């Protein structure tokens, strides 16, 4: 029997520890075209943490369920983190879940010149948005604990 090879991250560090950020898996899942588009929209969003409704507006060819499925995949590999408004602070009719890049993903992308914030923010600003989307963008976002 051969020992299972240990995967290393972009800096050559071991990714064998449970719960450790796996750079290889993160890059592999992030380079899918649809997920890359979602990441670009997250990076470009004025608050850096859009809701599914905002991502749906920016990706009209995707259904909400498909967006949620792709976000779940990105969460599973530690690229995206879900921010949730506490039940007592929710506003009826407005989203209460938002998605932002994890610190590890931002560092990985910066090391590999992927998803530069300034470029994607300029791209995002070029999209004409409805009043409803502008209102959603202006909503306060929860922060990580």
């Amino acid at each position: 029997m051969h020992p299972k090879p240990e995967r290393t991250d972009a800096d050559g560090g071991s990714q064998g520890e449970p719960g450790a950020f796996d750079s290889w898996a993160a890059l592999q899942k992030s380079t899918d075209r649809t997920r890359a588009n979602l990441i670009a929209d997250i990076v470009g969003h004025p608050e850096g943490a859009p809701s599914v409704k905002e991502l749906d507006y920016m990706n009209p060819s995707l259904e909400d369920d498909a967006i949620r499925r792709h976000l779940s995949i990105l969460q599973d590999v530690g690229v995206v983190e879900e921010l949730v408004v506490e039940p007592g602070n929710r506003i009826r009719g407005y989203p209460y879940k938002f998605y932002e890049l994890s610190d590890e993903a931002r560092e990985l992308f910066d090391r590999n010149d992927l998803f530069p914030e300034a470029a994607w923010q300029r791209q995002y600003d070029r999209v004409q948005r409805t009043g409803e989307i502008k209102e959603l963008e202006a909503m306060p976002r929860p922060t990580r604990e």
Side-chain angles (χ1 to χ4, degrees), residues 17 25 28-29 35 39 49 51 62 67 71 85 103:
E17 314 84 46
Q28 183 181 36
K29 298 298 181 185
R35 289 189 284 272
I39 292 169
S51 64
L62 290 176
I67 291 170
L71 289 171
V85 176
D103 292 338

Side-chain angles (χ1 to χ4, degrees), residues 2 8 10 14 17 23 29 41 43 73 75 79 88 92 98-99 104-105 107 109 112 119 129 135 140:
H2 297 285
T8 58
S14 172
E17 314 84 46
S23 298
K29 298 298 181 185
D41 290 335
V43 171
I73 290 166
Q75 282 180 273
V79 170
R92 186 181 190 100
F98 302 89
Y99 300 87
E104 296 86 358
E107 290 172 19
F109 296 154
N112 291 283
R129 296 180 301 281
E135 186 178 336

Side-chain angles (χ1 to χ4, degrees), residues 93-108:
Y94 285 91
Y96 62 91
K97 290 183 180 180
F98 302 89
Y99 300 87
E100 71 177 359
L101 288 187
S102 68
D103 292 338
E104 296 86 358
R106 181 72 270 166
E107 290 172 19
L108 173 66

